Amino acid sequence: MNVIKTPKSQTNSSKRELLFTFQTIIVTGLLAFTAIAFFFYNNDLSVVKGIKVIFAPFLSVVPLLFILSVLRDLRKGFIEGNYTKQQILKFALITLGITAAFTGITFLLSKINALEILLAGIIAILSIVFFLRSKIKDILGMSIVTGIAEGIIVYMIFLF
Amino acid sequence: MVQKNLNMAFFITVGVSIVVFIYLVFLGYDEIKTFKDVVKIIGSIVFPLPILFFTRFIVIEHFLPENTDAYKAENQRPATMLLVVSVVIVLLLIQFLEFVSQKKLEDTLVLAHLINSTTISSYVFNFLLYNNLKANGILSGILMALAIHIFFLST
């Protein structure tokens, strides 16, 4: 009956971690897709300064690496049991807020006419996602990542 | 035997959703001119996934009924009722919205894609993880209403 039968040995927290990983993969894919879409759509993007484009990602990756090496894990990881109603409500609202914020941010990204700045922006968001993935393993991280994904999708569907 | 029926139902529902999707793409074929439209369709298909993952993340162990015959027998009637009721309600709702906005659903294909993909992914999700028959009924109802509307009611 169950097509995907989860083994009994798997705990809830490891399931949550797996879901979190899936979510980050989705966001990464979406960001890559956004970058490609903007490159195609804004035909007037000029690759005049090739060196700038190559170096733009480092602008945001270097701080990420620094932060990752300095900080220890911020949260204790995923909890085993259920969340309370109040927590669910709170984090759903956070997700909604971040969705709205990222709809706006994607809109701003689409306004950028320079390829290197666009690339730096997208890589910066990607770095934030990876930071959340590796350090904030918690429902907070999950809701932020969900918010980012939904924001990008909402922009794609309704505003692009 | 019962097991087999349910699996058939699953495949048929997914099949209906795929047919609806192909039909929608076919219907809007003339409108897909630019890269933008493709992006919109892809966006509307991907839309439900993060929400579903998030829901699964929060609701990790509620509603996990054993798939026994007793559970099925108990829920048969309410689930069927919900199926019928949701078909009728969603059909009426679509008609009402079309009447209010003076627009055909076919003109806003992104919305139709959105309904289709959201319903089918929640259906698959529910089927795989929670196996809640009532939710199953409602979701099948919404999908059927959409299919009926697109195939038979829109001229």
Side-chain angles (χ1 to χ4, degrees):
Chain A
M1 169 43 232
N2 275 342
V3 180
I4 297 175
K5 198 140 197 158
T6 42
K8 285 277 176 272
S9 62
Q10 223 178 0
T11 56
N12 281 341
S13 55
S14 67
K15 278 189 215 161
R16 284 197 162 114
E17 184 147 9
L18 198 64
L19 284 166
F20 193 42
T21 311
F22 278 149
Q23 197 82 295
T24 41
I25 291 170
I26 289 180
V27 176
T28 312
L30 276 173
L31 279 170
F33 189 73
T34 321
I36 296 168
F38 285 159
F39 283 2
F40 267 104
Y41 181 61
N42 295 352
N43 285 322
D44 51 335
L45 286 177
S46 55
V47 195
V48 185
K49 295 154 189 162
I51 298 174
K52 260 192 178 176
V53 175
I54 295 169
F55 279 104
F58 291 103
L59 196 70
S60 21
V61 172
V62 171
L64 170 77
L65 289 177
F66 174 72
I67 292 171
L68 283 186
S69 63
V70 168
L71 279 181
R72 55 188 179 75
D73 280 5
L74 290 177
R75 297 295 172 124
K76 291 202 180 93
F78 299 103
I79 63 164
E80 188 63 35
N82 292 319
Y83 292 101
T84 60
K85 245 193 194 109
Q86 208 171 3
Q87 272 175 316
I88 292 174
L89 194 70
K90 184 180 147 202
F91 286 107
L93 284 178
I94 289 178
T95 311
L96 266 181
I98 289 172
T99 304
F102 261 84
T103 313
I105 289 174
T106 322
F107 176 72
L108 286 181
L109 280 179
S110 75
K111 291 284 160 206
I112 296 174
N113 270 324
L115 192 58
E116 59 267 16
I117 301 174
L118 181 66
L119 207 60
I122 286 175
I123 300 283
I125 299 173
L126 203 61
S127 307
I128 294 171
V129 171
F130 278 118
F131 170 69
L132 291 170
R133 162 81 188 85
S134 50
K135 292 293 171 189
I136 307 187
K137 289 179 182 174
D138 196 7
I139 185 168
L140 180 66
M142 182 67 173
S143 61
I144 293 173
V145 171
T146 311
I148 294 175
E150 283 304 321
I152 294 171
I153 295 172
V154 165
Y155 177 80
M156 274 182 178
I157 298 176
F158 296 107
L159 298 174
F160 188 50
Chain B
M1 188 62 205
V2 178
Q3 201 120 338
K4 205 181 160 207
N5 278 340
L6 201 62
N7 276 335
M8 277 300 284
F10 175 72
F11 286 123
I12 289 173
T13 314
V14 173
V16 167
S17 166
I18 292 171
V19 170
V20 167
F21 171 72
I22 293 171
Y23 184 73
L24 283 176
V25 170
F26 186 70
L27 209 66
Y29 191 72
D30 295 338
E31 288 173 33
I32 302 175
K33 290 184 197 112
T34 55
F35 187 64
K36 247 188 191 181
D37 302 314
V38 181
V39 170
K40 282 191 179 187
I41 290 174
I42 293 174
S44 56
I45 292 165
V46 186
F47 181 74
L49 290 180
I51 298 179
L52 284 181
F53 279 139
F54 188 65
T55 319
R56 170 70 179 147
F57 185 89
I58 287 179
V59 199
I60 205 143
E61 58 184 350
H62 291 305
F63 317 121
L64 261 176
E66 289 284 315
N67 191 31
T68 56
D69 285 347
Y71 171 72
K72 268 185 195 162
E74 191 186 322
N75 280 281
Q76 250 168 9
R77 189 183 290 270
T80 319
M81 282 293 289
L82 280 173
L83 173 75
V84 176
V85 168
S86 61
V87 168
V88 173
I89 287 178
V90 172
L91 272 180
L92 288 178
L93 192 69
I94 294 177
Q95 292 292 337
F96 177 72
L97 284 179
E98 280 194 346
F99 177 73
V100 166
S101 65
Q102 293 291 322
K103 258 185 175 175
K104 287 266 170 203
L105 185 66
E106 286 73 49
D107 299 334
T108 50
L109 279 175
V110 168
L111 196 63
H113 273 299
L114 208 59
I115 299 173
N116 185 20
S117 64
T118 309
T119 318
I120 195 63
S121 16
S122 352
Y123 179 82
V124 172
F125 204 65
N126 178 42
F127 186 83
L128 292 180
L129 294 174
Y130 301 117
N131 198 20
N132 187 326
L133 287 182
K134 286 174 192 167
N136 205 328
I138 294 176
L139 292 170
S140 315
I142 296 173
L143 192 66
M144 270 185 62
L146 184 70
I148 290 171
H149 180 86
I150 283 172
F151 286 121
F152 302 116
L153 293 182
S154 62
T155 45

